[in-house]
mmCIF file of all heavy atoms in Angstrom:
data_model
loop_
_atom_site.group_PDB
_atom_site.id
_atom_site.type_symbol
_atom_site.label_atom_id
_atom_site.label_comp_id
_atom_site.label_asym_id
_atom_site.label_seq_id
_atom_site.Cartn_x
_atom_site.Cartn_y
_atom_site.Cartn_z
ATOM 1 N N GLY A 1 89.478 106.460 54.403
ATOM 2 C CA GLY A 1 88.541 107.273 53.563
ATOM 3 C C GLY A 1 87.896 108.397 54.387
ATOM 4 O O GLY A 1 87.181 109.220 53.774
ATOM 5 N N GLN A 2 88.117 108.451 55.653
ATOM 6 C CA GLN A 2 87.518 109.483 56.495
ATOM 7 C C GLN A 2 88.322 110.801 56.410
ATOM 8 O O GLN A 2 89.533 110.785 56.285
ATOM 9 C CB GLN A 2 87.475 108.982 57.945
ATOM 10 C CG GLN A 2 86.845 109.971 58.932
ATOM 11 C CD GLN A 2 86.841 109.372 60.344
ATOM 12 O OE1 GLN A 2 86.937 108.185 60.543
ATOM 13 N NE2 GLN A 2 86.718 110.298 61.329
ATOM 14 N N TYR A 3 87.606 111.926 56.449
ATOM 15 C CA TYR A 3 88.215 113.229 56.485
ATOM 16 C C TYR A 3 88.539 113.591 57.950
ATOM 17 O O TYR A 3 87.716 113.372 58.815
ATOM 18 C CB TYR A 3 87.327 114.309 55.828
ATOM 19 C CG TYR A 3 87.383 114.281 54.344
ATOM 20 C CD1 TYR A 3 86.586 113.426 53.607
ATOM 21 C CD2 TYR A 3 88.258 115.152 53.648
ATOM 22 C CE1 TYR A 3 86.625 113.416 52.212
ATOM 23 C CE2 TYR A 3 88.291 115.142 52.268
ATOM 24 C CZ TYR A 3 87.480 114.248 51.527
ATOM 25 O OH TYR A 3 87.528 114.257 50.162
ATOM 26 N N VAL A 4 89.690 114.213 58.136
ATOM 27 C CA VAL A 4 90.057 114.661 59.485
ATOM 28 C C VAL A 4 90.507 116.123 59.384
ATOM 29 O O VAL A 4 90.969 116.613 58.355
ATOM 30 C CB VAL A 4 91.233 113.836 60.039
ATOM 31 C CG1 VAL A 4 90.813 112.383 60.300
ATOM 32 C CG2 VAL A 4 92.441 113.864 59.132
ATOM 33 N N ALA A 5 90.292 116.840 60.484
ATOM 34 C CA ALA A 5 90.698 118.250 60.590
ATOM 35 C C ALA A 5 92.140 118.291 61.055
ATOM 36 O O ALA A 5 92.676 117.323 61.603
ATOM 37 C CB ALA A 5 89.775 119.018 61.494
ATOM 38 N N GLU A 6 92.732 119.445 60.916
ATOM 39 C CA GLU A 6 94.077 119.621 61.411
ATOM 40 C C GLU A 6 94.075 119.515 62.956
ATOM 41 O O GLU A 6 93.280 120.175 63.619
ATOM 42 C CB GLU A 6 94.627 121.002 61.024
ATOM 43 C CG GLU A 6 96.029 121.292 61.467
ATOM 44 C CD GLU A 6 96.545 122.615 60.976
ATOM 45 O OE1 GLU A 6 95.857 123.283 60.154
ATOM 46 O OE2 GLU A 6 97.615 123.046 61.458
ATOM 47 N N GLY A 7 94.919 118.652 63.469
ATOM 48 C CA GLY A 7 94.931 118.373 64.882
ATOM 49 C C GLY A 7 93.961 117.307 65.303
ATOM 50 O O GLY A 7 93.877 117.011 66.496
ATOM 51 N N GLY A 8 93.217 116.729 64.341
ATOM 52 C CA GLY A 8 92.273 115.673 64.713
ATOM 53 C C GLY A 8 92.957 114.415 65.204
ATOM 54 O O GLY A 8 94.038 114.044 64.770
ATOM 55 N N MET A 9 92.275 113.716 66.119
ATOM 56 C CA MET A 9 92.852 112.511 66.742
ATOM 57 C C MET A 9 92.888 111.369 65.728
ATOM 58 O O MET A 9 91.900 111.099 65.045
ATOM 59 C CB MET A 9 92.010 112.074 67.949
ATOM 60 C CG MET A 9 92.472 110.846 68.667
ATOM 61 S SD MET A 9 93.986 111.143 69.566
ATOM 62 C CE MET A 9 94.082 109.563 70.453
ATOM 63 N N ILE A 10 94.031 110.746 65.612
ATOM 64 C CA ILE A 10 94.160 109.578 64.727
ATOM 65 C C ILE A 10 94.172 108.280 65.529
ATOM 66 O O ILE A 10 93.314 107.458 65.423
ATOM 67 C CB ILE A 10 95.443 109.661 63.869
ATOM 68 C CG1 ILE A 10 95.423 110.939 63.036
ATOM 69 C CG2 ILE A 10 95.590 108.437 62.993
ATOM 70 C CD1 ILE A 10 94.336 110.977 61.988
ATOM 71 N N MET A 11 95.158 108.113 66.406
ATOM 72 C CA MET A 11 95.247 106.935 67.246
ATOM 73 C C MET A 11 96.182 107.253 68.452
ATOM 74 O O MET A 11 96.794 108.295 68.530
ATOM 75 C CB MET A 11 95.800 105.771 66.447
ATOM 76 C CG MET A 11 97.229 105.957 65.935
ATOM 77 S SD MET A 11 97.819 104.518 64.950
ATOM 78 C CE MET A 11 96.748 104.678 63.518
ATOM 79 N N GLN A 12 96.179 106.280 69.364
ATOM 80 C CA GLN A 12 97.023 106.407 70.557
ATOM 81 C C GLN A 12 97.842 105.120 70.732
ATOM 82 O O GLN A 12 97.258 103.996 70.653
ATOM 83 C CB GLN A 12 96.142 106.661 71.796
ATOM 84 C CG GLN A 12 96.947 106.794 73.076
ATOM 85 C CD GLN A 12 96.053 107.270 74.261
ATOM 86 O OE1 GLN A 12 95.486 108.378 74.239
ATOM 87 N NE2 GLN A 12 95.902 106.406 75.244
ATOM 88 N N LEU A 13 99.110 105.277 71.052
ATOM 89 C CA LEU A 13 99.989 104.143 71.275
ATOM 90 C C LEU A 13 100.393 104.108 72.759
ATOM 91 O O LEU A 13 100.655 105.137 73.359
ATOM 92 C CB LEU A 13 101.259 104.238 70.445
ATOM 93 C CG LEU A 13 101.068 104.352 68.896
ATOM 94 C CD1 LEU A 13 102.408 104.462 68.194
ATOM 95 C CD2 LEU A 13 100.285 103.169 68.368
ATOM 96 N N GLU A 14 100.385 102.876 73.340
ATOM 97 C CA GLU A 14 100.797 102.697 74.719
ATOM 98 C C GLU A 14 101.936 101.696 74.779
ATOM 99 O O GLU A 14 101.849 100.635 74.205
ATOM 100 C CB GLU A 14 99.636 102.230 75.591
ATOM 101 C CG GLU A 14 98.545 103.267 75.721
ATOM 102 C CD GLU A 14 97.343 102.771 76.552
ATOM 103 O OE1 GLU A 14 97.310 101.541 76.776
ATOM 104 O OE2 GLU A 14 96.503 103.563 76.933
ATOM 105 N N ASN A 15 102.980 102.058 75.487
ATOM 106 C CA ASN A 15 104.135 101.195 75.670
ATOM 107 C C ASN A 15 104.081 100.588 77.079
ATOM 108 O O ASN A 15 104.041 101.311 78.061
ATOM 109 C CB ASN A 15 105.447 101.985 75.485
ATOM 110 C CG ASN A 15 106.637 101.065 75.353
ATOM 111 O OD1 ASN A 15 106.609 99.932 75.866
ATOM 112 N ND2 ASN A 15 107.681 101.548 74.719
ATOM 113 N N TYR A 16 104.006 99.255 77.130
ATOM 114 C CA TYR A 16 103.854 98.581 78.411
ATOM 115 C C TYR A 16 105.196 98.082 78.980
ATOM 116 O O TYR A 16 105.190 97.247 79.905
ATOM 117 C CB TYR A 16 102.911 97.386 78.277
ATOM 118 C CG TYR A 16 101.548 97.813 77.699
ATOM 119 C CD1 TYR A 16 100.918 97.015 76.766
ATOM 120 C CD2 TYR A 16 100.912 98.950 78.130
ATOM 121 C CE1 TYR A 16 99.661 97.388 76.245
ATOM 122 C CE2 TYR A 16 99.703 99.330 77.622
ATOM 123 C CZ TYR A 16 99.080 98.553 76.673
ATOM 124 O OH TYR A 16 97.828 98.916 76.178
ATOM 125 N N ALA A 17 106.320 98.566 78.462
ATOM 126 C CA ALA A 17 107.621 98.159 78.992
ATOM 127 C C ALA A 17 107.784 98.649 80.425
ATOM 128 O O ALA A 17 108.562 98.064 81.212
ATOM 129 C CB ALA A 17 108.749 98.651 78.108
ATOM 130 N N GLN A 18 107.103 99.713 80.782
ATOM 131 C CA GLN A 18 107.095 100.243 82.157
ATOM 132 C C GLN A 18 105.666 100.613 82.512
ATOM 133 O O GLN A 18 104.961 101.229 81.780
ATOM 134 C CB GLN A 18 108.004 101.438 82.269
ATOM 135 C CG GLN A 18 108.046 102.104 83.655
ATOM 136 C CD GLN A 18 109.044 103.208 83.761
ATOM 137 O OE1 GLN A 18 110.226 102.985 83.753
ATOM 138 N NE2 GLN A 18 108.555 104.438 83.890
ATOM 139 N N LEU A 19 105.242 100.149 83.727
ATOM 140 C CA LEU A 19 103.912 100.414 84.195
ATOM 141 C C LEU A 19 103.987 101.187 85.537
ATOM 142 O O LEU A 19 105.000 101.300 86.139
ATOM 143 C CB LEU A 19 103.136 99.109 84.419
ATOM 144 C CG LEU A 19 102.971 98.216 83.185
ATOM 145 C CD1 LEU A 19 102.293 96.879 83.559
ATOM 146 C CD2 LEU A 19 102.120 98.908 82.116
ATOM 147 N N TRP A 20 102.823 101.677 85.884
ATOM 148 C CA TRP A 20 102.656 102.321 87.205
ATOM 149 C C TRP A 20 101.981 101.352 88.160
ATOM 150 O O TRP A 20 101.048 100.591 87.779
ATOM 151 C CB TRP A 20 101.832 103.579 87.089
ATOM 152 C CG TRP A 20 102.642 104.829 86.795
ATOM 153 C CD1 TRP A 20 103.982 104.907 86.641
ATOM 154 C CD2 TRP A 20 102.124 106.141 86.639
ATOM 155 N NE1 TRP A 20 104.350 106.193 86.369
ATOM 156 C CE2 TRP A 20 103.251 106.995 86.352
ATOM 157 C CE3 TRP A 20 100.838 106.691 86.647
ATOM 158 C CZ2 TRP A 20 103.093 108.326 86.151
ATOM 159 C CZ3 TRP A 20 100.742 108.062 86.452
ATOM 160 C CH2 TRP A 20 101.823 108.871 86.200
ATOM 161 N N VAL A 21 102.398 101.372 89.391
ATOM 162 C CA VAL A 21 101.689 100.672 90.492
ATOM 163 C C VAL A 21 101.015 101.749 91.336
ATOM 164 O O VAL A 21 101.644 102.582 91.936
ATOM 165 C CB VAL A 21 102.667 99.827 91.329
ATOM 166 C CG1 VAL A 21 101.883 99.140 92.452
ATOM 167 C CG2 VAL A 21 103.391 98.834 90.484
ATOM 168 N N GLU A 22 99.698 101.664 91.398
ATOM 169 C CA GLU A 22 98.896 102.597 92.214
ATOM 170 C C GLU A 22 98.281 101.840 93.379
ATOM 171 O O GLU A 22 97.806 100.713 93.225
ATOM 172 C CB GLU A 22 97.800 103.276 91.394
ATOM 173 C CG GLU A 22 98.292 104.273 90.368
ATOM 174 C CD GLU A 22 97.176 104.995 89.676
ATOM 175 O OE1 GLU A 22 96.016 104.523 89.817
ATOM 176 O OE2 GLU A 22 97.413 106.008 88.982
ATOM 177 N N ALA A 23 98.288 102.439 94.544
ATOM 178 C CA ALA A 23 97.680 101.865 95.750
ATOM 179 C C ALA A 23 96.876 102.905 96.487
ATOM 180 O O ALA A 23 97.172 104.092 96.462
ATOM 181 C CB ALA A 23 98.765 101.279 96.664
ATOM 182 N N ASP A 24 95.785 102.458 97.130
ATOM 183 C CA ASP A 24 94.915 103.334 97.885
ATOM 184 C C ASP A 24 95.229 103.281 99.372
ATOM 185 O O ASP A 24 95.497 102.183 99.915
ATOM 186 C CB ASP A 24 93.434 102.966 97.688
ATOM 187 C CG ASP A 24 93.035 103.083 96.211
ATOM 188 O OD1 ASP A 24 93.529 103.985 95.542
ATOM 189 O OD2 ASP A 24 92.255 102.220 95.739
ATOM 190 N N LEU A 25 95.175 104.377 100.065
ATOM 191 C CA LEU A 25 95.343 104.414 101.512
ATOM 192 C C LEU A 25 94.509 105.579 102.066
ATOM 193 O O LEU A 25 94.177 106.524 101.350
ATOM 194 C CB LEU A 25 96.823 104.593 101.876
ATOM 195 C CG LEU A 25 97.497 105.939 101.704
ATOM 196 C CD1 LEU A 25 98.800 105.947 102.477
ATOM 197 C CD2 LEU A 25 97.793 106.210 100.244
ATOM 198 N N TYR A 26 94.242 105.436 103.366
ATOM 199 C CA TYR A 26 93.430 106.468 104.036
ATOM 200 C C TYR A 26 94.314 107.693 104.358
ATOM 201 O O TYR A 26 95.551 107.541 104.519
ATOM 202 C CB TYR A 26 92.836 105.903 105.311
ATOM 203 C CG TYR A 26 91.767 104.875 105.071
ATOM 204 C CD1 TYR A 26 92.067 103.551 105.170
ATOM 205 C CD2 TYR A 26 90.461 105.270 104.657
ATOM 206 C CE1 TYR A 26 91.043 102.582 104.955
ATOM 207 C CE2 TYR A 26 89.497 104.332 104.403
ATOM 208 C CZ TYR A 26 89.813 102.978 104.545
ATOM 209 O OH TYR A 26 88.828 102.056 104.295
ATOM 210 N N PRO A 27 93.739 108.889 104.448
ATOM 211 C CA PRO A 27 94.533 110.071 104.765
ATOM 212 C C PRO A 27 95.380 109.933 106.023
ATOM 213 O O PRO A 27 96.475 110.475 106.110
ATOM 214 C CB PRO A 27 93.495 111.166 104.869
ATOM 215 C CG PRO A 27 92.363 110.688 104.034
ATOM 216 C CD PRO A 27 92.334 109.197 104.214
ATOM 217 N N GLY A 28 94.837 109.228 107.019
ATOM 218 C CA GLY A 28 95.608 109.073 108.265
ATOM 219 C C GLY A 28 96.846 108.237 108.098
ATOM 220 O O GLY A 28 97.770 108.240 108.973
ATOM 221 N N GLU A 29 96.939 107.467 107.028
ATOM 222 C CA GLU A 29 98.098 106.616 106.788
ATOM 223 C C GLU A 29 99.108 107.276 105.782
ATOM 224 O O GLU A 29 100.129 106.688 105.462
ATOM 225 C CB GLU A 29 97.686 105.277 106.216
ATOM 226 C CG GLU A 29 96.753 104.479 107.104
ATOM 227 C CD GLU A 29 96.205 103.256 106.451
ATOM 228 O OE1 GLU A 29 96.116 103.230 105.171
ATOM 229 O OE2 GLU A 29 95.886 102.285 107.149
ATOM 230 N N ALA A 30 98.766 108.465 105.314
ATOM 231 C CA ALA A 30 99.613 109.102 104.297
ATOM 232 C C ALA A 30 101.024 109.334 104.796
ATOM 233 O O ALA A 30 101.982 109.270 104.026
ATOM 234 C CB ALA A 30 98.960 110.403 103.828
ATOM 235 N N SER A 31 101.160 109.630 106.118
ATOM 236 C CA SER A 31 102.493 109.905 106.639
ATOM 237 C C SER A 31 103.341 108.644 106.775
ATOM 238 O O SER A 31 104.547 108.740 107.017
ATOM 239 C CB SER A 31 102.347 110.610 107.979
ATOM 240 O OG SER A 31 101.684 109.763 108.942
ATOM 241 N N LEU A 32 102.728 107.498 106.637
ATOM 242 C CA LEU A 32 103.460 106.233 106.834
ATOM 243 C C LEU A 32 104.230 105.874 105.557
ATOM 244 O O LEU A 32 105.165 105.059 105.634
ATOM 245 C CB LEU A 32 102.470 105.117 107.200
ATOM 246 C CG LEU A 32 101.634 105.360 108.446
ATOM 247 C CD1 LEU A 32 100.720 104.196 108.726
ATOM 248 C CD2 LEU A 32 102.518 105.636 109.665
ATOM 249 N N ILE A 33 103.811 106.345 104.419
ATOM 250 C CA ILE A 33 104.504 106.071 103.157
ATOM 251 C C ILE A 33 104.852 107.384 102.501
ATOM 252 O O ILE A 33 103.976 108.139 102.113
ATOM 253 C CB ILE A 33 103.649 105.222 102.189
ATOM 254 C CG1 ILE A 33 103.251 103.936 102.869
ATOM 255 C CG2 ILE A 33 104.371 104.916 100.909
ATOM 256 C CD1 ILE A 33 102.380 103.006 102.013
ATOM 257 N N LYS A 34 106.126 107.649 102.370
ATOM 258 C CA LYS A 34 106.588 108.933 101.801
ATOM 259 C C LYS A 34 107.282 108.679 100.485
ATOM 260 O O LYS A 34 107.873 107.587 100.262
ATOM 261 C CB LYS A 34 107.514 109.613 102.795
ATOM 262 C CG LYS A 34 106.855 109.908 104.137
ATOM 263 C CD LYS A 34 107.839 110.586 105.074
ATOM 264 C CE LYS A 34 107.208 110.896 106.414
ATOM 265 N NZ LYS A 34 108.155 111.508 107.368
ATOM 266 N N PRO A 35 107.293 109.701 99.574
ATOM 267 C CA PRO A 35 108.004 109.540 98.311
ATOM 268 C C PRO A 35 109.478 109.252 98.580
ATOM 269 O O PRO A 35 110.085 109.841 99.460
ATOM 270 C CB PRO A 35 107.784 110.922 97.643
ATOM 271 C CG PRO A 35 106.506 111.422 98.241
ATOM 272 C CD PRO A 35 106.492 110.917 99.657
ATOM 273 N N GLY A 36 110.031 108.340 97.785
ATOM 274 C CA GLY A 36 111.400 107.944 97.945
ATOM 275 C C GLY A 36 111.582 106.644 98.708
ATOM 276 O O GLY A 36 112.646 106.054 98.656
ATOM 277 N N GLU A 37 110.557 106.201 99.423
ATOM 278 C CA GLU A 37 110.623 104.955 100.175
ATOM 279 C C GLU A 37 110.350 103.769 99.236
ATOM 280 O O GLU A 37 109.575 103.874 98.282
ATOM 281 C CB GLU A 37 109.627 104.930 101.322
ATOM 282 C CG GLU A 37 109.938 105.951 102.411
ATOM 283 C CD GLU A 37 108.983 105.844 103.567
ATOM 284 O OE1 GLU A 37 108.047 105.031 103.497
ATOM 285 O OE2 GLU A 37 109.147 106.591 104.550
ATOM 286 N N ASN A 38 110.984 102.644 99.538
ATOM 287 C CA ASN A 38 110.785 101.420 98.750
ATOM 288 C C ASN A 38 109.673 100.578 99.388
ATOM 289 O O ASN A 38 109.586 100.456 100.612
ATOM 290 C CB ASN A 38 112.097 100.596 98.684
ATOM 291 C CG ASN A 38 113.136 101.253 97.830
ATOM 292 O OD1 ASN A 38 112.770 101.926 96.837
ATOM 293 N ND2 ASN A 38 114.365 101.089 98.132
ATOM 294 N N VAL A 39 108.843 99.986 98.546
ATOM 295 C CA VAL A 39 107.797 99.074 98.995
ATOM 296 C C VAL A 39 107.923 97.773 98.215
ATOM 297 O O VAL A 39 108.557 97.730 97.158
ATOM 298 C CB VAL A 39 106.390 99.693 98.799
ATOM 299 C CG1 VAL A 39 106.229 100.919 99.588
ATOM 300 C CG2 VAL A 39 106.116 99.993 97.299
ATOM 301 N N GLN A 40 107.303 96.771 98.743
ATOM 302 C CA GLN A 40 107.314 95.474 98.078
ATOM 303 C C GLN A 40 105.981 95.293 97.359
ATOM 304 O O GLN A 40 104.915 95.497 97.938
ATOM 305 C CB GLN A 40 107.536 94.335 99.077
ATOM 306 C CG GLN A 40 107.759 92.976 98.448
ATOM 307 C CD GLN A 40 107.987 91.898 99.482
ATOM 308 O OE1 GLN A 40 107.116 91.653 100.369
ATOM 309 N NE2 GLN A 40 109.113 91.259 99.448
ATOM 310 N N VAL A 41 106.033 94.877 96.088
ATOM 311 C CA VAL A 41 104.847 94.675 95.275
ATOM 312 C C VAL A 41 104.778 93.204 94.922
ATOM 313 O O VAL A 41 105.698 92.611 94.345
ATOM 314 C CB VAL A 41 104.863 95.542 94.009
ATOM 315 C CG1 VAL A 41 103.654 95.281 93.146
ATOM 316 C CG2 VAL A 41 104.915 97.018 94.377
ATOM 317 N N ILE A 42 103.631 92.592 95.230
ATOM 318 C CA ILE A 42 103.360 91.216 94.895
ATOM 319 C C ILE A 42 102.155 91.159 93.956
ATOM 320 O O ILE A 42 101.068 91.644 94.272
ATOM 321 C CB ILE A 42 103.084 90.358 96.165
ATOM 322 C CG1 ILE A 42 104.298 90.411 97.065
ATOM 323 C CG2 ILE A 42 102.769 88.909 95.790
ATOM 324 C CD1 ILE A 42 104.104 89.669 98.382
#
C-alpha cells in the first residue's frame, strides 16, 4: 500500500553461495601476502 517514486528502493537480495574472506594485517606485513597467493582459511 505504500507509494514509491521511480527508482525508489524496494528490497535487496544476497546470495550466500559465495562469500568473501577478509583479514586484517599491518602495513609492514602487506608485502608478505600478495594477490594471487593461496592462503589457508580455518
Side-chain angles (χ1 to χ4, degrees):
Q2 180 179 340
Y3 280 86
V4 293
E6 182 177 351
M9 180 72 172
I10 301 294
M11 64 182 67
Q12 179 172 296
L13 303 180
E14 293 178 349
N15 193 335
Y16 304 139
Q18 178 175 290
L19 300 174
W20 271 359
V21 179
E22 289 185 348
D24 298 325
L25 74 164
Y26 291 102
E29 301 173 333
S31 60
L32 303 179
I33 302 180
K34 299 179 180 178
E37 294 183 357
N38 289 328
V39 297
Q40 189 179 60
V41 176
I42 299 177

